[in-house]
Amino acid sequence: MNTPGSWERPAAPFTSRVAFAAAHVVADPLGENRPGAPAVIDWEHTLAFRRHLWSYGLGVAEAMDTAQRGMGLDWAATQELIRRGAAEARAVGGRIAAGAGTDQLTGPASLDAVVAAYEEQLAVVEDAGAQVILMASRQLAAVATGPDDYRKVYDRLLAQASAPVILHWLGPMFDPTLAGYWGASDVAAASDQVVALIEDHAAKVDGIKVSLLDAAFEEALRSRLPAGVRLYTGDDYNYPALIRGSSDALLGIFAAIAPAASAALQALDRGDLSAYDDAFAPTVPLARQVFGEPTYYYKAGIAFLAWLSGLQPGFVMVGGLQSARSLPHLVRTFELADAARLFPDPPLAAARFTSLLSAYGVV
């Protein structure tokens, strides 16, 4: 195995970009974490993982899809996660934003019910002291009949927000139920709706996170945003070029590559583009592996790498989602993380990976 990378923690906040890592939750291995059951979380290691991200200068995007929103993490556990995460951020001086969505709803919902659900979660995030991320809503996508319904919901929410929020555009590769979000199946038409919304509420929009895995589209959208509104790339395939080109970042892969991401952003602050490229380049094959199809199961790779890196005691996830990736997929993930020199303790990673092989019957 390769020796660990020489990753230095930053002495001051990044100046050239704002960067969030979307953090996962660590499941309690003794909890009833099976499909359909309420989440049982290992709070000690969940919060320790956030301190790990903050130590590398990254902000934490809390309670996002990386944390298995809608895929094992229920609303009761989400509320506690937001409150605990925000309190931990205050204690260490870390930056935090948290997702407000509508996932407490079950079954068909009216437009008014969607608004009420958003309002409930918006209040939880603001009361906790975190910046609000208005997450894309499965329930809104199901009930909306066109762009006007999206505008009704977002106009109302943005009017209520007490501080600038981050909007959230998650493509169907991450969640198939979000196809046609913003009321248009064509992304160009949808972007027209998004830009009009942001222009009408520019004072209440810090930025928009875009996760469509289309670098050219993201660059075009970024050029249309009003001055002062950020585009937070959520493109886990093309992030080095997009961040270099002036996108900020809100990425699930940053949870797995925090030391390398920090090194790249420190280099960007210095104007050392060669060091920026050197830090990020080995992580791209790993990111494309972790986020390979079906992309929405990428969360298993994040937890897997945290376990191999000694950041959590076991490879177990809420909802039993550790079974979502095959052994060959995990083997390749292990190889690429080692090639990127991301394991802080290679003998520990090797021992844990060997134990997994043995559990699968591979001798």
Side-chain angles (χ1 to χ4, degrees), residues 174-198:
F174 290 93
D175 187 341
T177 66
L178 298 177
Y181 209 74
W182 306 111
S185 56
D186 177 69
V187 292
S191 67
D192 291 340
Q193 301 296 329
V194 170
V195 170
L197 172 70
I198 293 173

Side-chain angles (χ1 to χ4, degrees), residues 6-17 56 243-244 259-280:
S6 299
W7 312 115
E8 294 186 5
R9 289 174 168 83
F14 305 128
T15 57
S16 55
R17 301 289 185 273
Y56 280 102
I243 295 170
R244 185 170 176 168
S262 178
L265 292 167
Q266 291 176 64
L268 190 61
D269 284 352
R270 306 191 296 271
D272 188 345
L273 295 181
S274 178
Y276 173 89
D277 292 338
D278 288 346
F280 264 149

